[in-house]
Amino acid sequence: MSIRRPLALSAFCVFFLFITGHIAHAVPAKDDAVRTLTQPDGSTFSARLYGDEWFHRYETAEGYTVLQDSGGYWVYAERGADGALEPSDRMAGRDDPFSALHLRPANSWLSNALSSKPALRARSSDRSGITGTQQVVIILVEFSDTPGSEGSAGLHDADYFANATTGIVFGSDQGKLSDYLDEVSYGQLDLQGVVANGAWHAADSTEVYYGEDCGGGG
């Protein structure tokens, strides 16, 4: 099933663009490229860059955050007592990691770090930013001609969208919308919500009927 089809996502995209337009204060780091990082001893490993111009980090291909220690070696990160990321004594590509996947600084540390950056603080004050817990209702709508393998008969049930860990909207796993908004807002935005009635709702007419004023019903 293409999740582009439900009416629900058309409305939700408007909400998403509204929120991200208010919280985008920095240029995202380019995270679609796999990079090769080299250790001082010549060994290498693959990593991706995440974050933005203010706070960014590398993660191994497996998803473990790494930092350079005082000797220039890339080591697995751990979270210190103040919530900041610190280098551990385990070298990336050689030792087994022990921290959680996709480790980021604690939100409390990010908030303090944010307030210490005058340029970023000035940007933030120029915007009516959306912060705090935002409750969202997703309405899943299937058309009268929705194929039998999609909608209520498909794999994308309410849990697919709303599961607190794996749901594509409210999930806490990396790459889910809620996780993304938490990161780019430096922990200031918490997206929560439900799927209305926990089920799909049947529309009376076809997809083309509802989309004919949108340039072809696509």
Side-chain angles (χ1 to χ4, degrees):
M1 167 189 172
S2 168
I3 62 173
R4 179 184 63 85
R5 299 178 68 92
L7 284 174
L9 294 189
S10 297
F12 190 79
C13 283
V14 174
F15 169 82
F16 173 68
L17 290 173
F18 175 72
I19 282 188
T20 53
H22 282 264
I23 63 175
H25 302 308
V27 178
K30 184 177 178 62
D31 64 357
D32 59 349
V34 176
R35 303 161 187 244
T36 298
L37 300 184
T38 303
Q39 302 281 26
D41 64 4
S43 61
T44 62
F45 65 97
S46 298
R48 290 180 184 272
L49 180 64
Y50 292 92
D52 57 34
E53 64 184 284
W54 304 106
F55 302 106
H56 47 270
R57 68 191 187 281
Y58 278 104
E59 290 186 4
T60 66
E62 296 77 24
Y64 292 98
T65 303
V66 293
L67 301 171
Q68 279 187 300
D69 64 13
S70 59
Y73 278 90
W74 290 97
V75 297
Y76 295 111
E78 58 185 353
R79 188 177 288 170
D82 63 350
L85 295 185
E86 301 175 347
S88 71
D89 59 358
R90 302 198 181 191
M91 192 174 96
R94 184 194 68 187
D95 302 323
D96 292 330
F98 62 92
S99 60
L101 287 168
H102 314 300
L103 187 66
R104 299 200 299 253
N107 287 340
S108 58
W109 183 89
L110 283 172
S111 296
N112 290 333
L114 176 66
S115 65
S116 69
K117 292 183 177 291
L120 183 52
R121 188 170 63 247
R123 276 192 185 183
S124 299
S125 64
D126 290 339
R127 297 172 178 265
S128 54
I130 298 176
T131 59
T133 299
Q134 299 294 322
Q135 296 289 345
V136 178
V137 176
I138 300 176
I139 303 175
L140 300 178
V141 179
E142 57 185 341
F143 307 105
S144 61
D145 61 344
T146 297
S149 61
E150 300 182 3
S152 59
L155 299 176
H156 297 164
D157 57 9
D159 200 55
Y160 174 81
F161 297 91
N163 184 280
T165 302
T166 60
I168 65 168
V169 177
F170 303 128
S172 59
D173 283 352
Q174 187 178 46
K176 309 307 182 186
L177 179 58
S178 180
D179 172 74
Y180 167 76
L181 294 177
D182 176 73
E183 179 168 9
V184 299
S185 68
Y186 309 111
Q188 298 179 81
L189 177 59
D190 179 23
L191 186 67
Q192 299 181 11
V194 297
V195 171
N197 298 321
W200 288 81
H201 300 76
D204 293 331
S205 301
T206 66
E207 179 181 6
V208 171
Y209 172 83
Y210 293 105
E212 63 184 355
D213 60 346
C214 298

